[in-house]
Every structure is written in structure tokens, then in C-alpha cells.
């Protein structure tokens, strides 16, 4: 079954059937102001921090038919009576004559026709603005005049997204929503939590006079809230809303625009804005600005230009339409969105609590984005390096507003207090940035290490180059019984948490790949001593790997603290891991014959029609000594699932062996654009990569989850462009 199609010319995906298997979303704005909008008009908006400054209440766990954060009602009055519908499908679930939802670059557009009325809506955040603009046009398709009311509604959340769910007395006692009236009849509803009265006001405004408004959810739904979003009591009788301010409760903002009689063929436009400023007065200039339809039109065009500038630097033309689709539009868009939002906020990563940016994840996200937004990437590289410690390892995650970092789960007392891979990624990232920009000056920038003295001042600073060298030194010095790098709390595979003393082949391989970059860099900079030192480390670590970790047909993945291998034919579960093979090639450790055997073992044992499994067989039962990997059933996520992030690494390794055909077939089998025709099995958006697809040990083989914010985006983009197509920047120029 298909739910839509790609419109390549407009760089959009067009949903024509709203009953998609999961909600399909799009991002608007940026982390500094924005959020996501789903294809049925639900909207999650926040400013600066999804955990601590959230604006709309969007609860993804509620059924698909439920109102979520925002909607729009159209009320039609004619001789037959009053009819209320929504152009978004949710929450009224109407049967349309026509439904189109266009997922574009930074905007979503709807066109629906029902009851002789066409409604066109565009939602976006103008570049750099602090408000969501919603441009609504209604056209009378009938042969007689019709009276139309346009009633947009948003529901607010407490700014602390977690607290909203923790106390249902305190939260509503803090919430208020008041009307600010213009002399010309326009109304802006201003909402805030009492403790933010002087500093943060959410506003909901429009460009037209308002007949009435509502601020309280209970009054809007009616009947002591036994009224529903599908049939809100306040809209049923054709009359007005209460126009009362809320001084507590579940705050909403609903503006009733009575457009009056609309002639056949006539179109009327209403523009709404949802934003946040210090006060109504301080927001007024920008509210006034976006009341002007021409300004809104220009802002949308400016957004299109911005995206064109990002994407046009790299466009491909291959015989595969699905590959062109992804590499030209949807994959780089996802790369940019993932870099911007990290793992903060999606339908699956709910942005509650305080996770911030992850050192490992953001480093990899930036690697894919260097050609799309070099300046933003540079800022992120420098921010990441601020959270590297003096010993060369890195803090696991940090809040980019406060720059406060934590060790993530590595604060667990029974495991080592670091992740063995984090600090090594930034080497690949920084060198990727230099190769893309040709700007070596970043290496001289002085950045403090994270460790602070008693006055909270950094204990040591160093150049970016010194940070990278420190990262290598940490891994070289932090090895276990086999001379291989210690695992720490975990490596890239967050969910294998072996007891202290365990060693990680992934860390050894990532170290090897990072060394190769640093050897090339040192050579380019004329530092022969450093190049020779890193060559020696590379040779030595490669020997340790090859002497101890070859299992006969593939490489093992870990050694436990007691010396037993994990990822070996001797294991009952987890006999072979994809990363153990792909990264042995990426590291430059695997001699040609072993490289071929290891990658053939991946093909034979791990490949499926829906992608390459991370490992096999899955662990069947919870084992606290293994950790997170055993918390879900075999075939799911890291436990023998198709954890997509690791697929492009196999593709890259295959191209390094000259086996581009196999790499391309791996690429195509996971390309979501190619799944458009069997999306009922895949379920998530056909225009973005998901993080995981259930593997063939699972009864729901092929079902995808956790779309959008995943390192898959960055690596699929790199695998497709730099390796399968083979166009990549080097320290001295572009290699084709
Ligand atoms: C998702 C995490 O965000 C990422 O850091 C990790 O590498 C993968 N899961 C694999 O465990």
C-alpha cells in the first residue's frame, strides 16, 4: 500500500492518505526555536531546550487519532446548518474529497477539500525567527456563498516538559493565559507559567480581527471535558467562544476568525503565529511583521533559498531514482536536522530530562554535515572539544546552553567511568571538516579541556591539534590484558556493558582509523616525528588485533575481563558482530585475505533482505553482565536487529575492497525511498532513515522505528557520496 509519492521537482514528499502506519513528521525551525510537525497537524514546539522550555503539549504515546499540541478547525455555516471539520484529519477524522500533505524542506503544506471548501495551510518557522507561522487560505469551491469561521487552536505545556507529567495540581495552578486586544479587533493570547511572568511569554496571534477566543481547554471541549477534540462543545452550536482569560488550568489558545460570507471562487487568508518572547510588548514588532502576507511569502522563499544553497553544492545523477532522491534532498536534510537536534526531540526521543548533545553522536552527525553547513559544524567541533578531559577521554554528553557535561550512564559505579570510543570520533570529524573546507587554521584554535579547578576555571587549555593528539594518547595508554583498548562503560554499541577490564575491538579499530587520519595530517603538516609515532602505533595495534582477535572466519568483537571472546563461533549468542568486520577494514588492519573473509561472513551470516543485522544470534534473556543489549527480545535494536547505523560501515568497507556492486546492493536494500511500495511493513517515513529495523529473528521482521535522529543519516550520506560514488575531499583536493 502506498500513502504518498516523491515530488522530486519540488523536493517534497506528498502524503495523499493520512492514515499512515505511524505519524510521519517534519522539522520546522531549529533547536533555538522550532520543533516538529506531524502530517496530521500536531505540533511540538520549544525554544532553546526541549526539556526545559517547551511550548506545546504533544504526547506521542497517545493514539494517532488524538489531538497533539495544535490543530485547526474550519466551521461552515449554510442553509443545511453548521459543519465543523479540520483540514488536518486529526482530530476530526473527516473523509476528504482530496487530501495532500507536502513534507518540504523546513515547511509542511496541506491542501484538503471537503464540503465544497478548499483549505490550504503552510506551516514553517522563518529563518532565524522565534515564531511558527501558519498561513491558512480557505477557498469556496461551491456555487453559492458560504459563511466560514477559521479557528486555529494550540495547547500549551508547562515549560518543564517532565514536570508537566509529574504533578496535576501544581502544574495547572501555575498556568495563565490572557488576551491582549488591539483597537482594530485583533487579539493576541499570551500564556505563561506564573514564575516566568516577567521573562517568558508564549504568544498566539493572527492577522485578522477575532470574533471571540478561548484560553481554557475545559471550556473549549465543554461538558466538563466530556466534550472531545473531535467534537469540541464550544464549536457545535455555531456561536462564539467564551472570550475569558484563564488564571489556572489546562491552557489553550483558540482564536475564532469569522470570515463572513465568502463568494464562489473567493479565497480568504488568515495567518497565525505561535512564539515566545520576554513579553507581549517585546514580541509585538515581530508579530506585526509576520501579519503581512507578502512578508510571509518572502520568508518562505528565503527558506527555500537557504536549503537550495545547502543542497546544491552536491547533487548526483545516477541510474537509481531512489538513490538520487535520498542523496539530493532527503538524506542531506536528515543529516542537517540530526546535527541540529542531536537526539533531543523526535517522536521516539522525547526530550524529557536533560540529555543534551552526545559527544559520540554529535561528532558523527557533524562528519556528514561538513559540506552542508561548515560554519555550524566548526562551532560544534569546538564545543565538543570543550568537553574533552585532560586525560584525553571525553565527557559523554553536555548541555550546549550551559556547557555542563555528564558521563551519562558511565556514572554507574560498577563500570569504568568513561566510554572507550567517544574521544576518538572527534579526530575523524575534525579532519573531515578540514578536508571539506581546506581550512587548517582550526587546528591552532585554543580550547580549554573540561576539568575545572575549585573556582570553576579550566585547569588546562590546548590547541585543537593538541586535543586530538591527547585523544589518541588516551586510547594508546588505556589497554587491557591483550593490549587492546579497554571498553569503558561501552563503545559505539551503548548496550554492551561488560564488566571492568573488558576490551573492545571496536575501540581498537576506531583508534586505527583515527591514526590513519592523523598520520596523513601530520605528514601534510610536515611533522614527521608525529607521523612516524602514529605509524608505529598503528602497526603495533594492528598486530595485536590480528594475532589475538581472528576467530577463524571473522574477527571477534570484545574480550571479557576474564579473557573470553564475545563475537566468536564459541559463543552461544552474539557469535558474529558486523562492526567487528567492517571496522577492521576501515582501520586498515585486516590483511586482504582476512578482509574478504570477514566481509563475506557478514554477507552470509548477517545480511537480510531488509538490511545487515548488527550481530547474530540475539541474546535470549536478560543478562545483567551483558547489559542493555539483553533488555529486548532477539531481533530488536542492538540485539540482533538491523541497527541501521552500522550498515553504511559495511558498504564503505566493501568499496575499500573494490566491491562496489555489493556495496550498492546493501545501499539499495535499506533505502527508505525504495520502500514506498511496501511501507505497511516498514511503517516509518519513506523519506528518512530509521535507527532500527526488526531483524529476521523477530516476528515483525522489517518493521522500522526511531526515524529521523540517528547517526544512520550521516553515514548513509557519506557511504553514498564519498564511497559508492567515490567523490571525496582529501587534505590536498577532491578525489574522484
Ligand atoms: C544510539 C546512541 O545514541 C548511540 O550513541 C549509539 O552508538 C547507538 N545507539 C548504538 O548503541
Amino acid at each position: 500500500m502506498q500513502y504518498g509519492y516523491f515530488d522530486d521537482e519540488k523536493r517534497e514528499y506528498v502524503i495523499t492518505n493520512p492514515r499512515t502506519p505511524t505519524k510521519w513528521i517534519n522539522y520546522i525551525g531549529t533547536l533555538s526555536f522550532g520543533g516538529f510537525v506531524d502530517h496530521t497537524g500536531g505540533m511540538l514546539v520549544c525554544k532553546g531546550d526541549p526539556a526545559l522550555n517547551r511550548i506545546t503539549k504533544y504526547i506521542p504515546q497517545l493514539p494517532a487519532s488524538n489531538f497533539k499540541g495544535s490543530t485547526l478547525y474550519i466551521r461552515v455555516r449554510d442553509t443545511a446548518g453548521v459543519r465543523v471539520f479540520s483540514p488536518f484529519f486529526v482530530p476530526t477524522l473527516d473523509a476528504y474529497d482530496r487530501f495532500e500533505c507536502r513534507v518540504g524542506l523546513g515547511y509542511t503544506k496541506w491542501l484538503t477539500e471537503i464540503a465544497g471548501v478548499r483549505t490550504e495551510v503552510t506551516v514553517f518557522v522563518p529563518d532565524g525567527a522565534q515564531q511558527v507561522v501558519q498561513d491558512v487560505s480557505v477557498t469556496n469551491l461551491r456555487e453559492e456563498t458560504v459563511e466560514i469561521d477559521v479557528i486555529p487552536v494550540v495547547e500549551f505545556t508547562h515549560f518543564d516538559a517532565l514536570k508537566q507529567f509529574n504533578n496535576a495540581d501544581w502544574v495547572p495552578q501555575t498556568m495563565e493565559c490572557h488576551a491582549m486586544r488591539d483597537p482594530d479587533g485583533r487579539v493576541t493570547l499570551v500564556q505563561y507559567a506564573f514564575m516566568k511572568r516577567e521573562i517568558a511569554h508564549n504568544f498566539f496571534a493572527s492577522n485578522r480581527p477575532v470574533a471571540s477566543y478561548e484560553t481554557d481547554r475545559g471550556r473549549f471541549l465543554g461538558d466538563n471535558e466530556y466534550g472531545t477534540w473531535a467534537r469540541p462543545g464550544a464549536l457545535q452550536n455555531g456561536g462564539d467562544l467564551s472570550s475569558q482569560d484563564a488564571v489556572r488550568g489546562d491552557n489553550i489558545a483558540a482564536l475564532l476568525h469569522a470570515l463572513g460570507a465568502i463568494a464562489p471562487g473567493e479565497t480568504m487568508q488568515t495567518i497565525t503565529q505561535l512564539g515566545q518572547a520576554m513579553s507581549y510588548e517585546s514580541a509585538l514588532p515581530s508579530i506585526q511583521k509576520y501579519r503581512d502576507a507578502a512578508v510571509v511569502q518572502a520568508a518562505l522563499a528565503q527558506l527555500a533559498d537557504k536549503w537550495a544553497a545547502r543542497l546544491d553544492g552536491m547533487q548526483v545523477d545516477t541510474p537509481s531514482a531512489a538513490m538520487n532522491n535520498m542523496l539530493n534532498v532527503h538524506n542531506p536534510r536528515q543529516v542537517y536536522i540530526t546535527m541540529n537536534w542531536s537526539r533531543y526531540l523526535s517522536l521516539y526521543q522525547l526530550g524529557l530530562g536533560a540529555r543534551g548533545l552526545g559527544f559520540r553522536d554529535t561528532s558523527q552527525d557533524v562528519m556528514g554535515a561538513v559540506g552542508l553547513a561548515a560554519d555550524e559544524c566548526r562551532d560544534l567541533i569546538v564545543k565538543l572539544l570543550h568537553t574533552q578531559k585532560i586525560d584525553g577521554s571525553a565527557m559523554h554528553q553536555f548541555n550546549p546552553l550551559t556547557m555542563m557535561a555528564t558521563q551519562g550512564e558511565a556514572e554507574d559505579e560498577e563500570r569504568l567511568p568513561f566510554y572507550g570510543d567517544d574521544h576518538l570520533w572527534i579526530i575523524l570529524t575534525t579532519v573531515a571538516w578540514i578536508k571539506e573546507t581546506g581550512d587548517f587554521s582550526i587546528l591552532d584554535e585554543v580550547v580549554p579541556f573540561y576539568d575545572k579547578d575549585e573556582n570553576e576555571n579550566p585547569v588546562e587549555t590546548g590547541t585543537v591539534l593538541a586535543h586530538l593528539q591527547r585523544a589518541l594518547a588516551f586510547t594508546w595508554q588505556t589497554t587491557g590484558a591483550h593490549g587492546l583498548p579497554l571498553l569503558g562503560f561501552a563503545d559505539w554499541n551503548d548496550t554492551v556493558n561488560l564488566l571492568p577490564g573488558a576490551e573492545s575491538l571496536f575501540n581498537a579499530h576506531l583508534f586505527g582509523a583515527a591514526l590513519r587520519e592523523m598520520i596523513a595530517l601530520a605528514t601534510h603538516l610536515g611533522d614527521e616525528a608525529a607521523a612516524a609515532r602514529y605509524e608505529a602505533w598503528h602497526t603495533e595495534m594492528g598486530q595485536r588485533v590480528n594475532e589475538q582477535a581472528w576467530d577463524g572466519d571473522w574477527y571477534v568483537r570484545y574480550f571479557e575481563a576474564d579473557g573470553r571472546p564475545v563475537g566468536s563461533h564459541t559463543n552461544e549468542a552474539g557469535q558474529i558482530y558486523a562492526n567487528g568486520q567492517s571496522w577492521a577494514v576501515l582501520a586498515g588492519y585486516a590483511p586482504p585475505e582476512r578482509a574478504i573473509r570477514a566481509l563475506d561472513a557478514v554477507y552470509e551470516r548477517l545480511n537480510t533482505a531488509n538490511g545487515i543485522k548488527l550481530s547474530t544470534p540475539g541474546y535470549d534473556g536478560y543478562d545483567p553482565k551483558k547489559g542493555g543489549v539483553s533488555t529486548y527480545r532477539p531481533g530488536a535494536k542492538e540485539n540482533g536487529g538491523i541497527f541501521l547505523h552500522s550498515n553504511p560501515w559495511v558498504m564503505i568497507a566493501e568499496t575499500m575492497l573494490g566491491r562496489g556492486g555489493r556495496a550498492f546492493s546493501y545501499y539499495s536494500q535499506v533505502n527508505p525511498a525504495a520502500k514506498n511500495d511496501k511501507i505497511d511493513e516498514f511503517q516509518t517515513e519513506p523519506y528518512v532513515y530509521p535507527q532500527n529495523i526488526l531483524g529476521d529473528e523477530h516476528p515483525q521482521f522489517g518493521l522500522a522505528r526511531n526515524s529521523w535522529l540517528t547517526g544512520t543519516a550521516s553515514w548513509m550520506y557519506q557511504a553514498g557520496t564519498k564511497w559508492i560514488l567515490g567523490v571525496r575531499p582529501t587534505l590536498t583536493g577532491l578525489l574522484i
Side-chain angles (χ1 to χ4, degrees), residues 343 355 360-361 364 492-495 638 643 645 691:
R343 306 299 176 273
R355 193 202 124 116
R360 167 201 300 144
D361 290 347
Q364 292 173 79
W492 171 88
N493 188 333
D494 252 347
T495 65
E638 285 99 330
F643 204 92
H645 189 145
Q691 181 212 56

Side-chain angles (χ1 to χ4, degrees), residues 327-389:
L327 290 184
N328 288 336
V329 182
H330 303 281
N331 191 178
R333 186 254 308 269
Q334 187 183 0
V335 170
Y336 183 82
I337 295 294
T338 306
M339 177 196 69
N340 185 257
W341 288 92
S342 183
R343 306 299 176 273
Y344 262 117
L345 193 64
S346 73
L347 279 186
Y348 308 93
Q349 323 229 17
L350 304 187
L352 306 169
R355 193 202 124 116
L357 303 187
F359 199 96
R360 167 201 300 144
D361 290 347
T362 294
S363 297
Q364 292 173 79
D365 297 342
V366 169
M367 276 184 87
V370 290
L372 305 171
D375 292 346
E376 287 170 62
C377 288
R378 191 187 196 285
D379 287 351
L380 278 170
I381 290 171
V382 171
K383 275 206 168 101
L384 285 161
L385 289 171
H386 273 85
T387 66
Q388 186 185 12
K389 293 187 287 175

Side-chain angles (χ1 to χ4, degrees), residues 508 536-547 555 588-589:
W537 288 5
H538 188 272
T539 306
E540 172 66 30
M541 191 58 80
Q543 273 167 6
R544 291 179 198 171
V545 167
N546 277 304
E547 279 163 19
Y555 288 97
Y589 292 157

Side-chain angles (χ1 to χ4, degrees), residues 439-509:
D439 179 358
F440 288 76
S441 68
I442 189 173
L443 292 171
D444 301 324
E445 180 155 345
V446 175
V447 179
F449 288 93
Y450 189 69
D451 312 59
K452 311 277 191 313
D453 64 17
E454 63 280 6
N455 300 317
E456 287 299 303
N457 293 318
V459 176
E460 192 186 340
T461 60
T463 62
V464 167
L465 183 60
H467 277 258
L468 306 188
Q469 291 166 337
R470 196 74 63 91
L472 286 178
F474 177 84
T475 298
W476 182 243
Q477 285 152 13
T478 313
T479 52
H482 297 83
L484 299 169
L486 290 177
L487 172 66
F489 179 79
D491 57 30
W492 171 88
N493 188 333
D494 252 347
T495 65
V496 176
N497 315 118
L498 305 175
L499 295 176
E503 293 160 286
S504 158
L505 269 297
F506 186 90
N507 292 344
H509 298 325

Side-chain angles (χ1 to χ4, degrees), residues 80 109 133 181 293 429 473 510 512 680:
K109 280 186 182 181
V133 171
R181 295 162 190 270
T429 311
L510 181 58
D680 275 320

Side-chain angles (χ1 to χ4, degrees), residues 610-679:
N610 288 309
I612 303 164
K613 294 183 282 186
L614 187 59
S615 62
T616 203
Y619 298 94
D620 194 8
Y622 178 57
D623 176 0
K625 291 207 178 107
K626 290 270 176 316
V629 69
S630 62
T631 55
Y632 19 84
R633 63 145 69 213
K637 286 177 70 94
E638 285 99 330
N639 190 18
I642 300 161
F643 204 92
L644 215 47
H645 189 145
S646 63
N647 278 229
W649 293 334
V650 182
M651 296 168 207
I652 294 171
E654 287 286 0
T655 67
M656 288 176 166
L657 300 193
R659 302 200 295 192
R662 187 181 277 175
F664 180 66
S665 97
Y666 282 151
Y667 181 90
S668 300
Q669 75 189 3
V670 299
N671 188 336
K675 294 187 189 287
N676 202 36
D677 295 339
K678 54 172 192 169
I679 211 77

Side-chain angles (χ1 to χ4, degrees), residues 520-537:
L521 185 63
T523 307
H524 185 85
L525 297 174
D527 187 348
E528 282 162 27
R533 184 167 66 250
Y534 294 147
E535 276 288 3
W537 288 5

